[in-house]
Amino acid sequence: MFLSIPERWRQFTFLDTPPDYAESLFNFVVSEYKKTTIYPLKKDIFTALDLCFPQDIQVVILGQDPYHGDGQANGLAFSVQPAMPIPPSLKNIYKEMQSDIQKPISSDGDLRYLAKQGVLLINATMTVQAKKPGSHQKCGWENFTDDIIQSISNNKQHVVFLLWGNFAKSKLHLIDASKHLILTAAHPSPFSAYNGFFGCRHFSKTNDYLQKTGQDMINW
């Protein structure tokens, strides 16, 4: 089985036929976990897919790669393990939630509660070497996650795609804007949040669209 991807996702994305890059990506990831410290833990690589099945997806939030510090990454983009300090980008996401929908700023950085509501929080690169940000980029993961994004676009209707930052915006070509809502903004990192993330109001805009299209709103 291709990296133990959840069965429903395998059928949704690949129709049980592993893509050409699958074997080399599998071999690379397996060898990396054997020889060095990789995040997230192996059991958490596909947490985003485990918690959010294709039929339940209402929102997609795309990150770049997992947190590379000890004990942070939990398999969801922008999310950290319970009781971990909240990273700067997530702090800014919480600040925008407060400004946009008057949600009190949380002291918990675990976003599994969103994944369980149909928010796919997926990193384009799903593993990273400890203390080496970007170390697993261009090793095959992007092909895999591009396939997932395109499959969602092709096979579903009225999904909201939140693309924050230039990297996420580079995936625009994978999404059919005639059948989905695409919202773009600056990345929520401290380096760019004041250049277009703060004030984007993506959380209220997402719920307005979901309500308009007859879907359940997200309890952000």
Side-chain angles (χ1 to χ4, degrees):
M1 183 184 294
F2 174 48
L3 284 174
S4 299
I5 183 173
E7 177 71 20
R8 294 185 209 187
W9 277 99
R10 228 166 11 110
Q11 294 176 348
F12 178 76
T13 308
F14 306 124
L15 298 176
D16 283 331
T17 303
D20 293 340
Y21 58 80
E23 185 175 0
S24 62
L25 175 58
F26 175 85
N27 290 337
F28 168 75
V29 173
V30 169
S31 71
E32 285 288 286
Y33 274 95
K34 285 180 179 177
K35 70 185 184 185
T36 189
T37 301
I38 302 298
Y39 296 123
L41 297 176
K42 195 185 297 184
K43 68 179 181 62
D44 293 331
I45 294 175
F46 293 119
T47 296
L49 305 182
D50 286 328
L51 295 180
C52 189
F53 288 138
Q55 67 269 24
D56 300 325
I57 293 173
Q58 295 181 283
V59 181
V60 176
I61 298 178
L62 181 67
Q64 192 157 358
D65 58 0
Y67 296 118
H68 56 88
D70 294 340
Q72 288 182 294
N74 67 356
L76 302 176
F78 296 104
S79 176
V80 291
Q81 297 284 12
M84 289 296 296
I86 298 177
S89 291
L90 184 53
K91 281 184 183 177
N92 287 338
I93 291 170
Y94 283 165
K95 286 178 183 177
E96 179 60 21
M97 285 182 180
Q98 181 187 48
S99 172
D100 183 18
I101 56 174
Q102 293 74 57
K103 179 187 173 178
I105 293 178
S106 176
S107 59
D108 184 359
D110 185 357
L111 300 181
R112 276 178 276 207
Y113 78 99
L114 291 178
K116 292 174 182 176
Q117 296 181 70
V119 180
L120 181 65
L121 295 139
I122 189 167
N123 284 309
T125 302
M126 300 185 78
T127 55
V128 69
Q129 193 175 143
K131 313 299 184 187
K132 293 186 177 180
S135 50
H136 284 185
Q137 291 176 10
K138 299 182 181 177
C139 295
W141 275 126
E142 291 89 347
N143 295 323
F144 173 68
T145 50
D146 280 0
D147 279 349
I148 287 177
I149 293 166
Q150 194 151 37
S151 293
I152 294 168
S153 177
N154 291 344
N155 297 314
K156 292 185 67 71
Q157 297 274 351
H158 306 310
V159 173
V160 183
F161 290 83
L162 303 183
L163 305 182
W164 298 334
N166 290 333
F167 176 81
K169 292 174 192 175
S170 73
K171 306 298 181 179
L172 277 165
H173 68 284
L174 301 172
I175 306 164
D176 185 347
S178 70
K179 54 193 280 202
H180 303 290
L181 176 64
I182 304 171
L183 298 175
T184 63
H187 194 277
S189 80
F191 302 106
S192 54
Y194 286 96
N195 294 321
F197 179 75
F198 289 137
C200 69
R201 302 188 62 237
H202 280 185
F203 307 104
S204 60
K205 289 176 181 178
T206 294
N207 276 349
D208 288 346
Y209 178 81
L210 294 175
Q211 186 174 41
K212 204 175 296 183
T213 53
Q215 302 177 78
D216 292 334
M217 293 190 292
I218 303 299
N219 180 11
W220 296 106

